[in-house]
Structures are given as C-alpha cells and as structure tokens.
Amino acid sequence: MVSRHPVDHQKRWVNAGCALLIAVPSGWLGAWGWSAAGEGSAGSNRAIGLLLGLALGAVAIAVTQAGRALRGERGEYFEVRQDGLVHGSQRGVAGWSWNRVTSLHVDGDAVNGIATRLGNGYRIEIGLDDGTRLRTDGLARRAGDLGRVLLTRCPHVALKPRIPWYGRAGGWPLVGAAACAAAIAAMLFYITAHPDKEHRIPAGGGMTMVRTTEPGISEAGYAVLSIGMLVCAVTAITLVIAYVRGRAYR
C-alpha cells in the first residue's frame, strides 16, 4: 500500500447542522422584515434581501451536505497500491488495476479552506471498465495527494477532456428557466387573485358602519410565496447562464 485516504462523511452532517443554524434565524428575520416593513426604505430592503439570500444559501448548503452524507458509505476509504486502486467501506472492498481505469477527472484546489471544509474545493471522479464510478471530494484525507497519484498512474485517461452537464444538456436549461418563470407568474397571479376583503357591518341606531378587513393571504402565506419566487428567480438565472456557457461546448 502506498497511501490510504478515508472519507470523513461525519463532517458533512456537522456542516449541514451549522448551515441550518444560520438558515433558520436569518430566514425567519428576513420573512418577518418582509411582511412588517411593507414599502420600507432602500436600506431596510437591502437588509431583508441579504437575510433572505443568506437563508437560501445556507439551506442549499445544508441540503447538499445532507444529501452527500446519505449517499456516502460508512467507513469509506481509498487505498493507492503499487498495482492499482482499492475502494472499501462497511459494504465491502473492491480493487482494480490501473489499466482498468477508463475515465478520470480531477478538479479544484485542495488547499481552498472553506470549500474544502464543505468538500467542494476538490472533486475526483473515476470510471472503471466494469461500469463502476467512484467519486470523492475535499473531505477525503489528503485529497490532493490522491488526485496527483491518480493523474500520475493513469496518463492514458488523465488528459481526456471533460464536458460538464450544461455542455451536454442542449436546450433543456432554457426549458427549466421557462418553467421557473411560469411558476413566478402563477404565484403573482395567485397573490393578485386573493386581495384583502373589506366588510361593512351596520352598527344600527343611526350609528356609522363598522368596517372590518379580511386578509386574502396570511403573512405566512406571503412569506412562503416570496421565498418561492426568489428561489425560482435564482434558479431561472442560473439555468440561463448554464445554457449560455454550454454553447461553448457545441
């Protein structure tokens, strides 16, 4: 054995918990400020937008980290041997010689502090001739060393170009962006279709009428719809950017 690289999936749960600790209070404050401020000043609107954006970003990180932790294998590790690669976990152990590696992609900077903490600063994807695909990231111990060894041992596949998903997606990102735009329009139509209702109740005895207002949508409903529109807008913009970047691969 040349080196061993265990994957710290437990850290993903810690990352997800920390992200939720940021998302919940910032999201609640942002939603409360949105409903309470009304047509507030530019400064208050920027603060509300910052809180909602922070909450959405933290939720995205929490979901991503939890999803990767669920997909990961307990006790997972990689071992570099003289004649090949070994991948093991509590599910079992398997090994392949170097000439059985059919694709290899190593991306990122293994010393990027925050990204490496989340596992996003370094990505390794290994394809093997039996159809097995192995993936790991910056949460593998000494991930940079693992990536360098793989590139050195597999020069027959290391230089093959990689086409990202948005380069293979064609026009589907635009379809997704259009769906997000339609969802925003539907939420706006729902808001306009449920205005506040005013009721007039005669007081009797020549007294003036009593007016009561029944809200068409509750404050919680406004907060959910606002967050939903913000998520759809961010997603639509991201998909349009992905479509534009994908054109460079055609």
Side-chain angles (χ1 to χ4, degrees):
M1 185 178 67
V2 177
S3 61
R4 181 183 173 92
H5 307 270
V7 184
D8 189 0
H9 289 298
Q10 187 65 30
K11 187 179 290 185
R12 302 189 197 280
W13 290 114
V14 176
N15 293 338
C18 293
L20 287 177
L21 289 177
I22 297 174
V24 172
S26 59
W28 183 85
L29 287 173
W32 176 80
W34 181 288
S35 60
E39 297 182 0
S41 63
S44 63
N45 289 336
R46 283 195 295 269
I48 292 171
L50 178 62
L51 286 170
L52 292 177
L54 179 63
L56 288 175
V59 168
I61 290 174
V63 171
T64 301
Q65 291 290 302
R68 290 179 181 177
L70 291 172
R71 291 196 305 268
E73 302 176 20
R74 181 173 296 182
E76 185 179 13
Y77 64 89
F78 291 83
E79 286 182 355
V80 176
R81 305 288 182 92
Q82 288 291 345
D83 298 327
L85 178 71
V86 173
H87 176 258
S89 67
Q90 290 187 356
R91 298 178 184 177
V93 181
W96 302 266
S97 58
W98 294 119
N99 59 4
R100 296 184 61 186
V101 177
T102 57
S103 66
L104 174 64
H105 303 294
V106 180
D107 301 309
D109 179 3
V111 297
N112 186 327
I114 297 178
T116 300
R117 167 74 193 190
L118 299 176
N120 299 328
Y122 205 70
R123 301 287 294 175
I124 299 174
E125 298 182 9
I126 308 166
L128 300 152
D129 59 359
D130 59 0
T132 302
R133 298 195 67 83
L134 303 175
R135 296 179 177 85
T136 189
D137 53 24
L139 292 186
R141 184 184 299 171
R142 302 193 310 277
D145 294 340
L146 175 60
R148 282 187 289 272
V149 170
L150 290 170
L151 292 171
T152 302
R153 300 280 185 166
C154 306
H156 57 292
V157 294
L159 299 179
K160 287 185 178 180
R162 180 188 182 188
I163 300 178
W165 68 269
Y166 49 82
R168 305 188 302 266
W172 285 107
L174 288 183
V175 175
C180 291
I184 293 174
M187 285 184 276
L188 288 173
F189 177 78
Y190 181 84
I191 291 174
T192 57
H194 293 77
D196 294 342
K197 299 178 182 179
E198 185 179 82
H199 298 282
R200 298 183 178 182
I201 304 174
M207 302 292 290
T208 57
M209 302 181 67
V210 178
R211 297 182 179 182
T212 60
T213 302
E214 177 185 349
I217 303 175
S218 65
E219 293 184 359
Y222 273 117
V224 171
L225 290 170
S226 300
I227 293 174
M229 287 189 287
L230 182 59
V231 171
C232 289
V234 172
T235 303
I237 293 172
T238 302
L239 290 174
V240 170
I241 294 174
Y243 172 77
V244 173
R245 293 185 61 185
R247 290 175 61 87
Y249 293 91
R250 299 173 201 164

